[in-house]
Amino acid sequence: MSFEITLSHQIGERAIALDVQSNARVLALVGPSGIGKTSVLHCISGLSQPASGRIVIAGRTLFDSAQGIDIAPQDRRAGVVFQDMRLFPHRKVAANLSYGAKLADGRPAAIAQSELLSLLDIADLQDRWPATLSGGEARRVAIARALLCAPDFLLLDEPSSSLDASRADVLAALIERIDLPILLVSHDEAQVARLAGHVVRLG
Amino acid sequence: MSSWLNATEWAIVALSLKVSLVAVFVTLPIAYGLAWVIARRRFPGRMVLDAAVHLPLVLPPVVTGWLLLVAFGRSGPVGAWLEATFGITLVFQWTGAALAAGVMALPLMVRAMRLSIEAVDRRLIGAARTLGASRWHAFRTITLPLSLPGIAAGAMLGFARSLGEFGATITFAANIAGETRTLPLAIYTGLQVPGSDLMVARLAVIAVILSLGALLLSEWLVRRSSGGRAHVL
């Protein structure tokens, strides 16, 4: 089982409930904006704590309220690509890319850095400040940064937003190329249908 | 310039610089810690802590000096402990002047640093955590460098405030020539003595130069550290 996610989470007035068991390598979570897709990703990455539930990905229990398991975000080995990218503004692209790699304790990434950078066409951006990147460039750097921290699985939040059609194809090829469980969330069901083996509707 | 100021006046300037620099360097980590706690932590008593930090800003400096005297005087609880444990006496010493200056500078330093810490996007810290950073590593690599402009601004404000410190200093450390008579105290003393007009004027010019220098230096540091994106002035 790649994904075993049962959680209930409360954000202000909104209650989020999710119960997914899936063997698909690429799982998509779809639903309209504001339904809580990003909150689910935060629960999985450890940045938020669900009220209750159990999160097991690739055989590793990350959270289990019944057993009192709550692995710290830095130890979940999740490669997160945030919808708002969150590149570090005071570090050049190269230093953004190496941030997680340096903390990976020598674990190898699922894809070599040189191959990743050429696939995403960002090898020439290394010396740039994040503030000077276009939206699409920043998105591709964020994807590379998440992969280079040698994660066990990927969490992608609206991964194809601000990527043009040809870049979206590159993303699809990348998702195909790396052999990691991937959970992606999107409001655009048509977009993810061709990427994911299993689509779950939220809300 | 060495002929412009006499040896006594140079000694006053040197003492002022020593007192202010020590005050700022010792206060800096304390102020940053307080700023971080007030900016990032939510706990009962946070408002009280915030108010206590700001107290020296609104209290008459003489009252702050008197409170220091009560706490750090030779028979005060902290003062007696320091003397018994480390053999340190602060009252009527230049170190006491530095303590008074540091306490008076604290609220300004905390304020500048707190604003810069609050301006650090917490989502970046979340991103760092998912990339494998512990809380401490994320603090060192994200919060600390991104709040450098506030640290520089706080240090500059604290230094300028320390240079100008008068009320708490004269109350706690007294006005002892060569020991606690800093620039403002020397100017005040000169005003009481007929015929000291020129010395007062020269020291006043020095005070202006030092304060302006601190301001420009911090502006330069902030611009350099932020790659030209932030500034104090």
Side-chain angles (χ1 to χ4, degrees):
Chain A
M1 199 70 80
S2 296
F3 298 95
E4 206 184 319
I5 303 165
T6 312
L7 59 85
S8 69
H9 187 46
Q10 186 84 26
I11 299 174
E13 297 284 290
R14 179 182 298 281
I16 302 165
L18 184 69
D19 188 356
V20 185
Q21 262 83 41
S22 176
N23 250 326
R25 184 177 69 84
V26 183
L27 173 68
L29 203 58
V30 298
S33 300
I35 199 78
K37 302 187 296 293
T38 297
S39 305
V40 169
L41 286 196
H42 283 348
C43 288
I44 297 172
S45 66
L47 296 180
S48 307
Q49 193 184 33
S52 66
R54 182 172 145 82
I55 300 168
V56 182
I57 295 179
R60 189 157 168 252
T61 306
L62 304 176
F63 180 81
D64 190 330
S65 53
Q67 291 186 57
I69 297 173
D70 183 10
I71 294 180
Q74 69 267 29
D75 298 322
R76 292 200 178 195
R77 303 202 292 265
V80 188
V81 180
F82 297 93
Q83 189 179 358
D84 49 7
M85 272 83 87
R86 309 195 185 182
L87 297 181
F88 304 130
H90 59 304
R91 293 170 158 251
K92 288 185 174 176
V93 168
N96 265 279
L97 293 175
S98 64
Y99 189 91
K102 282 183 184 160
L103 296 165
D105 296 327
R107 279 177 288 123
I111 179 169
Q113 172 155 356
S114 52
E115 186 190 350
L116 182 63
L117 299 193
S118 70
L119 192 64
L120 289 169
D121 193 19
I122 54 173
D124 295 340
L125 304 178
Q126 302 248 27
D127 208 32
R128 298 262 296 273
W129 292 102
T132 68
L133 301 178
S134 72
E137 287 170 336
R139 168 90 41 206
R140 284 177 280 139
V141 171
I143 292 169
R145 184 179 70 170
L147 267 168
L148 290 173
C149 73
D152 290 351
F153 60 98
L154 278 187
L155 300 173
L156 309 179
D157 197 350
E158 303 283 357
S160 45
S161 67
S162 69
L163 291 184
D164 58 34
S166 65
R167 301 293 193 197
D169 288 344
V170 168
L171 178 68
L174 180 67
I175 288 176
E176 206 49 42
R177 160 74 180 77
I178 51 168
D179 189 25
L180 292 178
I182 299 174
L183 176 68
L184 52 93
V185 308
S186 178
H187 66 281
D188 186 349
E189 203 170 328
Q191 266 281 348
V192 298
R194 66 193 189 110
L195 300 173
H198 186 177
V199 178
V200 175
R201 246 160 242 97
L202 193 65
Chain B
M1 218 151 120
S2 53
S3 58
W4 191 59
L5 289 183
N6 64 37
T8 315
E9 291 161 356
W10 268 118
I12 291 165
V13 173
L15 175 70
S16 280
L17 288 175
K18 179 170 79 169
V19 165
S20 301
L21 286 173
V22 168
V24 167
F25 278 111
V26 173
T27 309
L28 200 68
I30 300 168
Y32 192 84
L34 286 166
W36 185 85
V37 166
I38 293 168
R40 289 297 199 217
R41 295 280 126 190
R42 294 292 172 269
F43 55 93
R46 179 174 155 272
M47 292 281 282
V48 176
L49 178 67
D50 198 11
V53 164
H54 280 86
L55 212 53
L57 204 59
V58 288
L59 269 183
V62 175
V63 174
T64 303
W66 177 75
L67 288 171
L68 288 174
L69 208 51
V70 169
F72 288 89
R74 301 187 82 148
S75 53
V78 189
W81 177 78
L82 281 176
E83 190 165 0
T85 316
F86 302 106
I88 296 173
T89 319
L90 291 172
V91 70
F92 306 138
Q93 310 281 330
W94 74 267
T95 45
L99 173 68
V103 167
M104 294 302 293
L106 184 73
L108 289 173
M109 294 171 75
V110 170
R111 210 175 175 76
M113 293 175 191
R114 176 191 167 173
L115 288 174
S116 74
I117 292 169
E118 281 171 347
V120 175
D121 189 343
R122 299 179 85 150
R123 292 174 305 171
L124 296 176
I125 296 163
R129 299 293 304 281
T130 67
L131 289 167
S134 62
R135 281 179 195 281
W136 171 240
H137 188 78
F139 168 78
R140 273 193 4 231
T141 53
I142 311 294
T143 308
L144 194 61
L146 283 174
S147 58
L148 262 185
I151 297 176
M156 176 275 291
L157 284 171
F159 180 74
R161 181 69 188 78
S162 294
L163 269 183
E165 197 348 81
F166 181 83
T169 308
I170 202 164
T171 311
F172 178 60
N175 184 5
I176 302 165
E179 187 66 36
T180 68
R181 185 172 293 165
T182 54
L183 263 174
L185 272 65
I187 291 172
Y188 169 80
T189 308
L191 288 170
Q192 316 295 309
V193 181
S196 308
D197 300 3
L198 271 176
M199 184 200 79
V200 166
R202 285 196 295 266
L203 291 178
V205 168
I206 292 287
V208 170
I209 291 171
L210 286 176
S211 303
L212 200 61
L215 202 62
L216 293 174
L217 181 66
S218 118
E219 174 74 8
W220 179 74
L221 279 172
V222 166
R223 291 206 175 174
R224 215 179 63 131
S225 72
S226 67
R229 280 176 283 119
H231 47 87
V232 176
L233 296 175

